[in-house]
Amino acid sequence: MDLHDEHEIEGEPVRLSQQSQRLELITFEHDCTLRDEPHYLTNRIESPQSCAFRFREWFLIDPRHPQTVRYYTSSYLLRSELVRHIKSRYWFMIHPFSRFRFYWEIWLVLYTYALMLAVPFTIAFTGTMRRENYVYFIAAGVNLLSTAEIVVNCLTGFSTDQYYQHVRLGPWDVFVNYLKGMFVIDFIYAFPASLFARAFIRNEAALEVVLNVVSGLLLFKRFRFEMINYYKLRLILISGLFIHWCNCFYKIAATVVEDPQYGEDPLWDEHVKFLLNIDNGMMRRYGHCFSTVLYYLFVMSFGEIGIPTTVHGKVLGAVCIIVGICFQLYLILQFFKLTTMTNSTKRNYAESVSQLQAYMGMKQFPKEMANRLMFYYEKKFEKCYFDEDKILSTLSEPLRHQIDDHSAARFYTTVPVFKDVPRSLLLALVRNMEKEIYLPNDMIVKAGSVGSWICFIHTGSVAAYTQSGKEIFHLYDGDHFGEISLFLKNKRLLNVIAIEFTQIFVLRRKAFIELVPPENALYQRLEEKAKERMQQILLEEELYKSHLLMVDGGGAMTD
């Protein structure tokens, strides 16, 4: 078949701002007629209704995981990672973006935070015998959880890639990476030191010292603040933990170091005796200590006990006030940081959304159109509005080229047809491309239109329909369509519809001809692909038309 003697089968993309002028039909309700493939996990577990199938799904990549939403921006990337995991030899491993891992990380945050609250409270406000029991209980719980954490971490894949799209699942690679990281710390916490101390140390004084050391070590169990994505919540948790620690350390400093040689002060002595008397109860003593610490930290006053006259009281009070000043400075800096964050990109985004809502209200757009516009803004700016043209205009030309080349490299490495093409040619091609964005059900190409460019899918997926309405295939990240428009100028025979939020790059015929000579491998690949796709489409179209004629003929005979 001679390519240049046939009709062109794919069309030109329609820009969002000009769609209503170019096309009579700008959206098309995509009702997929292609046969749904079974879940890839059925290759391992036959019945999707079985408990084993549902249990194993918890350990595969989850589309609702925050990191999945962030790094796997299209259904193609998500499906490719899912298939790669299931088909690998290590399909039993836990994906770092799985549902199980998400809830496990939440549990780690909760239990670690509770540990950092309980341990200093136990050391400061419980008696020796009670402390011993509490330490055994807490230490045993930490040992069990740390052991479970070691097992889970040895079964969880990891990624060293900047964009977290190449997860390594090999057990040996995972274990070696874990050894280089937090394995030693987790092993220390998994070791039952308190039980060994109780079994082998008979001296009560030495045992108390060991238990206090074990309790102190528990405080250094790492807390993963970075796992808390909400900055305000993270700040509140850190501040609450800091005040609690100050409260516990104040109680220890006020009672343990107290000595008559520092002088006498009736109010101070009564304050210390109240904190030492275990008959007052742990919570009463904690509350009494808490009110004093708040005075020091925020009011920078000595509160009800007045200005101490003892050396010990003065030194402790001065240290607490200095710590309070530093803490207030920290809160002020965090407040300004939070204000700056709110007043920059997110605030600009909120203002742009407000303007969009006012515009939609004035134009009285129907609800469906308004929802599509809001969805477009949310996906395009990801809730952070910025003026890219203004930013780039302030940069030097070499720096702008570096940024363009970096973005281009991220794109062309995902396109199979660009494999083994010289980097200089790819950069030149990408620099001549234009980016287009489409929402679900947007018509990118309309049959019967005339175009002169090829489209490469950056992220998203599209469905292709023949002119008679038969859906024949889907295309995903890295695929391309409209390649025949580089060689022919005839009308299109395909409608191409966006299935999801889709970003494409458009390369015009003029730029392609100027940059890619006919003897180039890329030129030959695209020409061969165009011939192959044309044969496929024409065959599908003829078969579908024959099917429609048979259906119509059968209906006429029945009538």
Side-chain angles (χ1 to χ4, degrees):
M1 179 183 295
D2 186 1
L3 178 66
H4 298 276
D5 292 337
E6 299 294 336
H7 292 289
E8 187 171 357
I9 62 172
E10 298 181 85
E12 65 179 58
V14 181
R15 297 177 181 279
L16 189 64
S17 59
Q18 300 176 358
Q19 278 187 327
S20 59
Q21 299 177 7
R22 295 188 179 185
L23 301 179
E24 297 177 1
L25 182 64
I26 61 174
T27 61
F28 182 91
E29 190 67 29
H30 172 247
D31 184 12
C32 188
T33 57
L34 300 181
R35 184 175 62 88
D36 292 334
E37 296 182 0
H39 195 289
Y40 293 100
L41 189 55
T42 55
N43 296 329
R44 300 284 186 178
I45 304 173
E46 292 185 0
S47 175
Q49 305 301 324
S50 65
C51 294
F53 186 95
R54 295 178 180 178
F55 176 76
R56 193 67 193 88
E57 276 190 310
W58 275 70
F59 302 96
L60 302 174
I61 185 171
D62 182 30
R64 294 167 295 181
H65 193 286
Q67 300 301 331
T68 303
V69 175
R70 180 177 181 183
Y71 295 111
Y72 293 82
T73 54
S74 70
S75 59
Y76 172 77
L77 290 175
L78 179 63
R79 185 173 55 258
S80 298
E81 180 63 19
L82 178 65
V83 172
R84 187 185 71 86
H85 187 181
I86 295 174
K87 288 186 175 181
S88 71
R89 292 185 298 165
Y90 314 116
W91 70 285
F92 54 86
M93 297 291 284
I94 302 172
H95 198 280
F97 302 155
S98 63
R99 194 184 318 171
F100 168 81
R101 190 70 199 186
F102 175 74
Y103 288 113
W104 176 258
E105 298 282 3
I106 292 178
W107 163 246
L108 287 181
V109 170
L110 295 177
Y111 114 80
T112 309
Y113 193 80
L115 183 69
M116 300 179 79
L117 291 175
V119 171
F121 181 82
T122 301
I123 296 175
F125 292 96
T126 59
T128 303
M129 297 303 298
R130 278 180 148 185
R131 186 184 310 167
E132 181 178 333
N133 295 330
Y134 280 121
V135 169
Y136 287 143
F137 178 76
I138 294 174
V142 172
N143 297 152
L144 291 174
L145 289 170
S146 296
T147 303
E149 188 174 0
I150 290 176
V151 175
V152 171
N153 287 339
C154 287
L155 293 174
T156 301
F158 71 98
S159 175
T160 56
D161 178 65
Q162 180 182 2
Y163 304 106
Y164 294 90
Q165 292 181 2
H166 302 284
V167 176
R168 301 178 69 175
L169 297 169
W172 177 249
D173 294 335
V174 170
F175 182 68
V176 171
N177 182 70
Y178 188 28
L179 281 177
K180 296 177 182 177
M182 306 301 298
F183 175 79
V184 175
I185 295 178
D186 289 339
F187 179 79
I188 291 174
Y189 284 103
F191 185 76
S194 59
L195 296 180
F196 273 82
R198 183 59 176 166
F200 295 103
I201 299 178
R202 301 301 179 185
N203 187 286
E204 292 294 333
L207 178 61
E208 182 179 355
V209 172
V210 172
L211 292 178
N212 284 335
V213 171
V214 172
S215 302
L217 286 175
L218 295 179
L219 292 173
F220 293 95
K221 178 67 176 174
R222 69 193 186 283
F223 182 67
R224 305 178 181 184
F225 287 110
E226 71 278 2
M227 289 166 19
I228 304 176
N229 295 324
Y230 298 101
Y231 180 79
K232 295 179 183 178
L233 177 60
R234 192 187 315 167
L235 180 60
I236 292 172
L237 291 177
I238 294 175
S239 301
L241 190 63
F242 177 79
I243 294 173
H244 175 73
W245 278 30
C246 287
N247 198 30
C248 296
F249 283 123
Y250 172 82
K251 192 270 179 183
I252 295 173
T255 56
V256 174
V257 191
E258 179 63 20
D259 195 307
Q261 68 178 355
Y262 294 130
E264 296 183 359
D265 184 342
L267 289 176
W268 177 260
D269 293 341
E270 183 180 352
H271 173 63
V272 173
K273 288 179 181 178
F274 182 86
L275 296 179
L276 285 171
N277 189 357
I278 61 175
D279 294 334
N280 291 323
M282 291 185 292
M283 298 311 299
R284 283 188 62 195
R285 286 181 292 142
Y286 182 87
H288 188 74
C289 196
F290 186 73
S291 61
T292 305
V293 169
L294 287 183
Y295 268 104
Y296 283 135
L297 293 180
F298 295 104
V299 186
M300 288 178 287
S301 168
F302 294 92
E304 297 178 355
I305 62 175
I307 301 176
T309 58
T310 64
V311 177
H312 173 235
K314 289 180 179 179
V315 172
L316 182 58
V319 171
C320 290
I321 290 176
I322 293 173
V323 171
I325 293 173
C326 295
F327 182 58
Q328 291 185 47
L329 289 175
Y330 168 79
L331 292 179
I332 291 172
L333 291 175
Q334 296 303 313
F335 173 77
F336 280 117
K337 181 179 179 180
L338 184 62
T339 304
T340 303
M341 290 170 58
T342 305
N343 287 341
S344 56
T345 58
K346 292 185 178 181
R347 184 167 184 177
N348 291 337
Y349 173 77
E351 290 177 355
S352 65
V353 169
S354 178
Q355 293 179 11
L356 176 63
Q357 291 174 338
Y359 173 76
M360 292 188 298
M362 182 188 68
K363 295 293 185 179
Q364 297 182 350
F365 288 157
K367 185 177 180 180
E368 182 180 356
M369 183 184 294
N371 290 338
R372 287 173 60 81
L373 282 172
M374 291 299 298
F375 179 75
Y376 173 83
Y377 255 66
E378 181 179 346
K379 297 294 289 186
K380 179 178 175 61
F381 297 108
E382 297 183 357
K383 299 185 178 180
C384 293
Y385 181 83
F386 54 87
D387 191 341
E388 185 175 12
D389 293 336
K390 184 177 180 180
I391 295 173
L392 293 177
S393 65
T394 62
L395 304 179
S396 63
E397 185 173 352
L399 191 55
R400 287 199 298 270
H401 281 307
Q402 290 181 13
I403 294 174
D404 291 340
D405 292 349
H406 170 74
S407 302
R410 286 191 61 191
F411 163 63
Y412 66 65
T413 53
T414 64
V415 181
V417 76
F418 288 155
K419 185 179 180 181
D420 299 328
V421 175
R423 184 173 183 271
S424 57
L425 175 58
L426 292 177
L427 291 176
L429 288 173
V430 175
R431 287 172 184 168
N432 282 273
M433 293 182 183
E434 301 170 8
K435 185 177 181 180
E436 301 286 348
I437 296 176
Y438 293 92
L439 302 180
N441 297 325
D442 275 352
M443 180 171 283
I444 305 174
V445 169
K446 185 172 188 251
S449 62
V450 177
S452 59
W453 47 55
I454 182 174
C455 301
F456 297 92
I457 302 177
H458 181 35
T459 59
S461 56
V462 301
Y465 291 81
T466 63
Q467 197 164 15
S468 57
K470 177 177 173 55
E471 185 176 13
I472 52 176
F473 56 75
H474 291 173
L475 298 175
Y476 305 96
D477 299 25
D479 292 332
H480 54 84
F481 57 93
E483 60 277 338
I484 300 178
S485 65
L486 300 177
F487 311 104
L488 294 177
K489 298 181 181 180
N490 295 341
K491 293 183 178 181
R492 312 326 195 206
L493 298 179
L494 278 186
N495 292 308
V496 180
I497 312 299
I499 299 176
E500 58 183 332
F501 182 83
T502 302
Q503 300 181 53
I504 64 174
F505 283 94
V506 176
L507 178 64
R508 297 180 180 277
R509 181 194 299 125
K510 181 180 179 181
F512 176 79
I513 293 175
E514 290 176 353
L515 295 172
V516 185
E519 63 273 11
N520 189 277
L522 177 60
Y523 188 101
Q524 296 172 7
R525 288 177 195 170
L526 290 174
E527 187 174 28
E528 184 65 27
K529 183 63 178 178
K531 292 179 181 179
E532 177 186 336
R533 186 164 287 175
M534 177 179 292
Q535 292 176 353
Q536 176 191 2
I537 300 304
L538 293 178
L539 177 60
E540 292 282 355
E541 179 76 338
E542 289 298 324
L543 291 175
Y544 188 63
K545 287 181 178 179
S546 299
H547 169 72
L548 292 178
L549 289 174
M550 291 178 61
V551 172
D552 292 341
M557 291 177 63
T558 303
D559 293 340

